Amino acid sequence: MGLALDNAIEAAEQVNDFKEIEFTAKNYQGYLVLYFKNSIISNSHPDFNKTSKLSDSFNHGFGVKGIKQFAKIYNGEMKYITEKDKVILRVTLSVSNG
């Protein structure tokens, strides 16, 4: 989940106004539910299917795809909501023994 935090930090650093990064973890009905909320440039509509902007694209750019795959391994899912000036990423991971 370090990828999600790295993405949140990178996005929030680009904001000139109020910068916010929030992480919450909850146990709910056999799932670990992780929420990552961060500021974005107002009305910027981030593209979650693109690769990294970093110069070393060979070792970067797996973020959202990697998070989706990780969630799938643990019988979970990844979803995101984009609002005017923030993104909320929700990752659910099964923690049940069955």
Side-chain angles (χ1 to χ4, degrees), residues 10-54:
E10 183 180 331
E13 285 177 337
Q14 297 175 23
V15 175
N16 291 326
D17 302 330
F18 178 71
K19 299 178 189 218
E20 175 185 39
I21 298 173
E22 182 180 321
F23 170 71
T24 307
K26 297 179 181 181
N27 188 352
Y28 180 73
Q29 296 183 350
Y31 286 89
L32 174 61
V33 184
L34 308 171
Y35 292 94
F36 300 85
K37 178 171 125 178
N38 63 275
S39 304
I40 58 173
I41 296 171
S42 188
N43 296 313
S44 63
H45 306 289
D47 180 0
F48 290 94
N49 295 310
K50 70 177 179 171
T51 58
S52 176
K53 292 185 239 172
L54 299 174

Side-chain angles (χ1 to χ4, degrees), residues 1 4 7 34 36 48-49 62-72 75-81 87-93:
M1 295 297 89
N7 290 346
L34 308 171
F36 300 85
F48 290 94
N49 295 310
F62 304 104
V64 173
K65 184 177 179 182
I67 295 167
K68 283 182 184 178
Q69 290 173 344
F70 182 79
K72 187 175 180 181
N75 298 316
E77 65 180 8
M78 183 212 82
K79 294 195 179 224
Y80 60 87
I81 300 166
V87 169
I88 301 169
L89 173 70
R90 184 188 76 199
V91 181
T92 58
L93 307 170

